[in-house]
Structures are given as structure tokens and as C-alpha cells.
Amino acid sequence: LAGHEKYIKTTVYGMTGSVPDYTMVVVGANMGVQRMTREHLGVALALKCATYFVVTKIDMSPEHVLQNTLHDLTRIIKAPGVRRIPLVVQSEADVVSAAKAMGNGARIAPIFKVSNVTGEGMQFLHLWLNLIPTQKDEDLQSRHEHAQFHIDDTFA
């Protein structure tokens, strides 16, 4: 999802037009949960889209700031309007169990801690992306329907 608030219309348009199976909400460990993080989570919830979280920049964030970010994120995930079960992924077993649960419609919300600089935690995110099942494509294929796209503009 586009992070800056001036792109919220683009974000909503993209999500409603492409019908994603999952939403990845990215949170900077050093910046914490921002207002737009809450907005993006609200959009994903309104569209009933399964959501997982990636906390980035763990290499440059002081430990106490990272812990505050994880605490805030966990609190939001457990909030009455969201009511998901947060799971901070720390092993391959966590990834596998979260992917299985997500495929069965569980209300789990995996949280991945990664560093794009050092690569820490990226192996779990890569494994996750390879394991999560598609959700909406199976429904479309089972009904043998063709996909429909709305073209609202053309460029010459």
C-alpha cells in the first residue's frame, strides 16, 4: 500500500480494482505505527482482505523503540475493530503454522521483523510468500468464470 496520505485514493482504487488475496502492511521499526498504518489496516479490513505485517529497519532501530513498535502493533491487531491474533514470526515453524492457519481462514496476523540491509528475517518472509495459499483465485477458477477488468482510461 502506498504510504503517504496524499496517495490514499490511489491505494483504495488499487485494492478495490485488483482484489488482492493478502495485504502486507509495512511498518518502519524506527518510526512506529503511524496514522496511515491505521488507515491502511482499515482499508484492508473493510475489503475483508487477509493481512500480515512486516516491521522493517530492525537493524537501525534501538531495541526499546523496536519493542514499542511491536507493542503498539500488537495492541492494534488485538483491538475490538480488528480482533486478530498477532504472531511475531521467529522460526520456520511459526511461518508454516501461520500459513496453514491463514489458509483455513483463521484470524491470525503474522508479524515479520526484517532488515533490508543485513537480510535478517528475510528468509521467513520469503518462505511465507511461497507458502500462503491463494484465496480468491480458487473461487474464480472453480466457477469457470473469466476475469473482468474495468478500463476507465486509455493512453495513446
Side-chain angles (χ1 to χ4, degrees), residues 46-110:
L47 295 173
K48 296 182 172 109
C49 190
T51 305
Y52 60 98
F53 300 84
V54 178
V55 178
T56 62
K57 301 181 183 180
I58 63 171
D59 57 312
M60 67 178 284
S61 177
E63 186 62 29
H64 72 280
V65 175
L66 172 61
Q67 291 307 317
N68 286 343
T69 298
L70 290 172
H71 178 265
D72 291 346
L73 191 55
T74 301
R75 194 182 77 238
I76 290 169
I77 292 169
K78 289 179 178 180
V82 181
R83 292 187 10 209
R84 300 282 194 272
I85 303 165
L87 170 66
V88 178
V89 174
Q90 298 182 14
S91 68
E92 287 186 8
D94 289 344
V95 176
V96 172
S97 65
K100 284 181 183 176
M102 191 73 81
N104 294 331
R107 301 183 62 85
I108 197 158

Side-chain angles (χ1 to χ4, degrees), residues 82-155:
V82 181
R83 292 187 10 209
R84 300 282 194 272
I85 303 165
L87 170 66
V88 178
V89 174
Q90 298 182 14
S91 68
E92 287 186 8
D94 289 344
V95 176
V96 172
S97 65
K100 284 181 183 176
M102 191 73 81
N104 294 331
R107 301 183 62 85
I108 197 158
I111 302 171
F112 297 89
K113 300 184 300 183
V114 301
S115 167
N116 293 326
V117 175
T118 66
E120 182 182 351
M122 292 300 285
Q123 73 276 19
F124 301 134
L125 184 58
H126 288 167
L127 180 60
W128 168 258
L129 292 172
N130 284 302
L131 287 179
I132 53 176
T134 59
Q135 295 178 343
K136 295 175 181 71
D137 287 344
E138 292 172 1
D139 293 337
L140 188 64
Q141 289 173 357
S142 68
R143 293 181 299 190
H144 301 290
E145 294 179 5
H146 297 286
Q148 293 183 3
F149 293 93
H150 299 281
I151 301 172
D152 64 350
D153 204 354
T154 60
F155 302 94

